Amino acid sequence: MDLGLNGKRALVLGASRGLGKAIAQSLLAEGATVFVAARSLDKIEAWAEGMDAVHPVKMDLSDLAQVDDLVNKLLGEGGVDVIVNNSGGPPPGTALAAERCAWISHFEAMAANLFHLTTRLLPPMQERKWGRVISITSSGVEQPIPNLALSNGIRSVVVGWSKSLANEVAGDGITVNVVMPGRIHTERVDELDAAAAKRTQKDIAEVAKASRATIPAGRYGKPEEFADVVTFLASDRAGYVTGSRIRIDGGAIKSI
Ligand code: NAD
């Protein structure tokens, strides 16, 4: 299947590792030019060395000035066709323990600044009558994950924003969707398992085994499996998929 991504320009945020990196690599394999943003250029350069279609850009999502600098640079070059909104996950913790300042700072980096970046990058897509906006959230928006209150709360806001935007730009040939990972095996998942092991005074392997057992597929997903779905949503072939939440979770979410 030709996904029609050859020559398209994509921006992938939070792509120094994990899901962002896998998505950037998948889009590159389909012939897209990819602007790969992260706080550390070293980490991007470590995996992207020698790849002409990769354009590493340094950007901290918690810093609005850096977000605007990146947007200005991209708009000066005609903008992008595809935006993959991704951010770092917040620290684990309960709703009772989460303080106001944590809600605000994580909301900025995980939501408000992504909304701002997307809105500013939309006009060239609207002019070209083609665009894709895909935001990575979490299975926690459908089935809140214990001890991840900041994530459950803030990512639900991203879903509401995404659906609102989808309705507003569908007529311009722009699709806007949310993808919901459920335990895709990245360093973040290993870090969360390590934190759970420490909290419960169990062995990490034991915690990971118990977590895998809650997933009908019986395993964690691979970053490439996740990236394949995102790449399809970014493609020309997915032009009629918009305003949706797509689960990539091995069946982990219990509801239908
Ligand atoms: P990860 O922590 O491995 O990668 C996150 C990426 O975002 C990294 O490249 C990191 O450097 C970057 N980042 C962090 N803070 C940033 C900032 N302020 N500015 C710019 N970049 C920043 O996580 P992942 O497993 O690849 O997941 C990606 C997102 O999806 C995370 O928000 C995570 O919480 C969420 N998520 C992942 C899963 C999963 O199964 N892996 C499940 C639910 C939610």
Side-chain angles (χ1 to χ4, degrees):
M1 187 188 281
D2 178 7
L3 295 181
L5 281 165
N6 202 17
K8 294 283 190 212
R9 288 159 56 90
L11 169 65
V12 183
L13 305 178
S16 65
R17 69 177 202 179
L19 302 181
K21 174 181 157 188
I23 293 163
Q25 290 176 331
S26 176
L27 292 169
L28 284 162
E30 292 300 322
T33 295
V34 186
F35 295 86
V36 180
R39 289 166 300 176
S40 151
L41 282 184
D42 297 354
K43 286 190 185 156
I44 302 174
E45 281 157 3
W47 68 258
E49 199 184 344
M51 302 172 84
D52 291 343
V54 179
H55 299 268
V57 277
K58 191 167 156 46
M59 195 257 295
D60 185 335
L61 268 168
S62 62
D63 183 340
L64 183 59
Q66 289 189 32
V67 174
D68 274 324
D69 283 349
L70 171 62
V71 170
N72 291 340
K73 171 187 151 49
L74 292 171
L75 288 175
E77 299 168 7
V80 292
D81 305 297
V82 177
I83 302 171
V84 179
N85 282 322
N86 180 34
S87 65
T94 61
L96 281 172
E99 293 185 2
R100 183 179 178 280
C101 60
W103 282 110
I104 291 172
S105 64
H106 289 291
F107 180 82
E108 278 196 357
M110 294 171 59
N113 289 350
L114 295 175
F115 305 164
H116 174 75
L117 173 144
T118 304
T119 310
R120 286 203 60 205
L121 285 173
L122 279 171
M125 292 186 192
Q126 290 173 301
E127 276 167 33
R128 289 194 283 267
K129 298 285 172 208
W130 200 97
R132 302 284 183 262
V133 179
I134 300 146
S135 301
I136 300 178
T137 59
S138 167
S139 62
V141 303
E142 284 200 13
Q143 182 173 293
I145 302 168
N147 208 47
L148 273 180
L150 285 168
S151 173
N152 297 333
I154 295 170
R155 294 184 202 281
S156 295
V157 176
V158 176
V159 173
W161 165 80
S162 182
K163 184 65 177 173
S164 304
L165 182 64
N167 292 339
E168 293 169 24
V169 298
D172 295 325
I174 301 169
T175 67
V176 186
N177 292 292
V178 160
V179 281
M180 301 180 293
R183 302 242 105 185
I184 311 294
H185 199 181
T186 63
E187 281 148 289
R188 158 98 177 155
V189 163
D190 284 339
E191 286 162 7
L192 288 174
D193 282 349
K198 195 172 171 196
R199 203 174 56 249
T200 55
Q201 297 185 322
K202 288 183 182 155
D203 185 56
I204 297 180
E206 198 187 329
V207 167
K209 190 176 170 199
S211 174
R212 287 186 172 95
T214 65
I215 302 171
R219 65 177 177 89
Y220 289 162
K222 298 178 200 156
E224 308 84 64
E225 292 176 303
F226 184 83
D228 284 345
V229 178
V230 174
T231 300
F232 177 72
L233 289 172
S235 79
D236 208 31
R237 296 296 184 107
Y240 202 54
V241 183
T242 195
S244 294
R245 286 188 307 205
I246 290 119
R247 300 173 178 180
I248 308 158
D249 70 342
I253 295 171
K254 300 287 180 273
S255 64
I256 53 171

